[in-house]
């Protein structure tokens, strides 16, 4: 995010059922959801809100995107969210190249999404950036290279970001399978063993330890 994430500039946000304040928010109304998120940041004078890895969330009831064909509800978050103002720059965390990108349109989806391919100790690893500006996809091409620290994209505004309060969904994957410009960011509990293995903790790259 262009600066180190730490306790001074971040606030951990709780989107689990334990957070009773969520019951007061109309999650289907993005403006209400947005105000809820940014009121918390403003109250604590924080620039970034952090949404946790493998957090079992209550907020996914806002969209049918998270229902599966066999009725198993997807509600376990596989990435880390960085909630901040739309337009915030996002920089490549390490050397890599564009694997794929697309606009995953639809209420509750990723919106504009970029996936980078990296080499880590001779093994491929992928990073996903979701909820971006549509214009961030305009001049991209598969194979375009980025160095660590290069400007990659920006946190997008709603509704073009999948209709979410502005935030970056950052996720790490060892294997994309057949996915292109997209990869599940939320899993059902019965799938968790597979996704936990394939999607390591993004905090290993972010360098911010959730407490």
């Amino acid at each position: 995010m262009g600066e180190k994430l730490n306790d001074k500039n971040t606030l951990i946000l709780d989107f689990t059922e334990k957070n009773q304040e969520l019951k007061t928010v109309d999650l289907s109304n993005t403006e209400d959801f947005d105000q809820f998120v940014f009121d918390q940041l403003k109250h604590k004078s924080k620039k970034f809100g952090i949404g946790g890895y493998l957090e079992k969330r209550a907020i996914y009831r806002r969209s049918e995107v998270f229902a599966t064909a066999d009725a198993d509800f997807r509600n376990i978050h596989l990435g880390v969210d960085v909630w901040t103002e739309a337009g915030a720059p996002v920089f490549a965390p390490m050397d890599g190249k564009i694997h794929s990108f697309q606009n995953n349109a639809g209420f509750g989806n990723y919106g504009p999404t970029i996936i980078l391919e990296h080499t880590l100790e001779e093994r491929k690893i992928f990073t996903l950036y979701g909820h971006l500006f549509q214009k961030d996809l305009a001049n991209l091409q598969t194979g375009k290279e980025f160095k660590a620290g290069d400007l990659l994209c920006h946190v997008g505004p709603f509704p073009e970001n999948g209709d979410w309060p502005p935030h970056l969904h950052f996720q790490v994957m060892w294997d994309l399978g057949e996915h292109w410009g997209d990869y599940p960011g939320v899993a059902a509990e019965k799938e968790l063993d597979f996704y936990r293995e394939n999607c390591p903790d993004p905090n290993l790259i972010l360098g911010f330890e959730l407490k």
Side-chain angles (χ1 to χ4, degrees), residues 110-128:
Y110 277 137
T113 308
I114 296 173
I115 297 177
L116 290 182
E117 177 182 325
H118 315 271
T119 300
L120 183 64
E121 297 180 352
E122 300 183 355
R123 184 179 178 185
K124 285 184 179 180
I125 193 168
F126 303 88
T127 54
L128 182 149

Side-chain angles (χ1 to χ4, degrees), residues 189-206:
E189 289 191 58
K190 74 173 189 177
E191 305 169 318
L192 186 55
D193 286 346
F194 168 79
Y195 283 111
R196 183 192 285 115
E197 181 71 20
N198 195 48
C199 302
D201 188 347
N203 287 303
L204 298 173
I205 293 176
L206 286 175

Side-chain angles (χ1 to χ4, degrees), residues 13-76:
L13 300 178
D14 181 2
F15 293 120
T16 70
E17 293 285 359
K18 295 179 181 179
N19 186 352
Q20 296 299 308
E21 292 185 12
L22 283 175
K23 296 180 179 179
T24 69
V25 183
D26 180 1
L27 295 172
S28 66
N29 184 315
T30 307
E31 290 185 356
D32 283 358
F33 191 6
D34 180 80
Q35 183 170 350
F36 172 74
V37 170
F38 286 92
D39 278 354
Q40 292 183 77
L41 297 183
K42 183 177 180 180
H43 179 68
K44 297 291 186 178
S45 299
K46 303 294 186 180
K47 184 176 181 179
F48 304 104
I50 300 295
Y53 171 65
L54 298 186
E55 181 180 55
K56 187 176 179 180
R57 290 180 160 181
I59 58 175
Y60 295 126
R61 63 178 181 266
R62 73 188 302 258
S63 173
E64 294 182 357
V65 165
F66 304 102
T68 59
D70 56 3
D72 284 311
F73 189 66
R74 296 189 297 128
N75 62 351
I76 300 177

Side-chain angles (χ1 to χ4, degrees), residues 1 5 49-54 57 77-83 90-94 110 113-116 118 125-132 152-153 155 167-173 183-185 199-208:
M1 304 306 296
L5 301 178
I50 300 295
Y53 171 65
L54 298 186
R57 290 180 160 181
H77 191 232
L78 299 174
V80 166
D81 288 334
V82 183
W83 306 79
V90 178
F91 302 89
M94 52 186 177
Y110 277 137
T113 308
I114 296 173
I115 297 177
L116 290 182
H118 315 271
I125 193 168
F126 303 88
T127 54
L128 182 149
Y129 309 80
H131 310 300
L132 311 177
L152 175 65
C153 54
V155 174
H167 70 287
L168 172 72
H169 175 92
F170 177 66
Q171 186 168 324
V172 182
M173 297 81 58
Y183 191 85
C199 302
D201 188 347
N203 287 303
L204 298 173
I205 293 176
L206 286 175
F208 181 78

Side-chain angles (χ1 to χ4, degrees), residues 157-188:
F158 64 87
E160 71 180 78
N161 70 350
D163 220 335
W164 290 90
H167 70 287
L168 172 72
H169 175 92
F170 177 66
Q171 186 168 324
V172 182
M173 297 81 58
W174 288 114
D175 186 1
L176 290 178
E178 299 299 318
H179 292 281
W180 184 267
D182 191 13
Y183 191 85
V186 183

Side-chain angles (χ1 to χ4, degrees), residues 123-158:
R123 184 179 178 185
K124 285 184 179 180
I125 193 168
F126 303 88
T127 54
L128 182 149
Y129 309 80
H131 310 300
L132 311 177
F133 265 100
Q134 179 64 38
K135 65 182 181 183
D136 284 322
L137 307 184
N139 297 314
L140 289 187
Q141 58 186 18
T142 301
K144 181 177 180 179
E145 295 184 350
F146 286 84
K147 294 293 185 181
D150 285 351
L151 178 64
L152 175 65
C153 54
H154 302 80
V155 174
F158 64 87

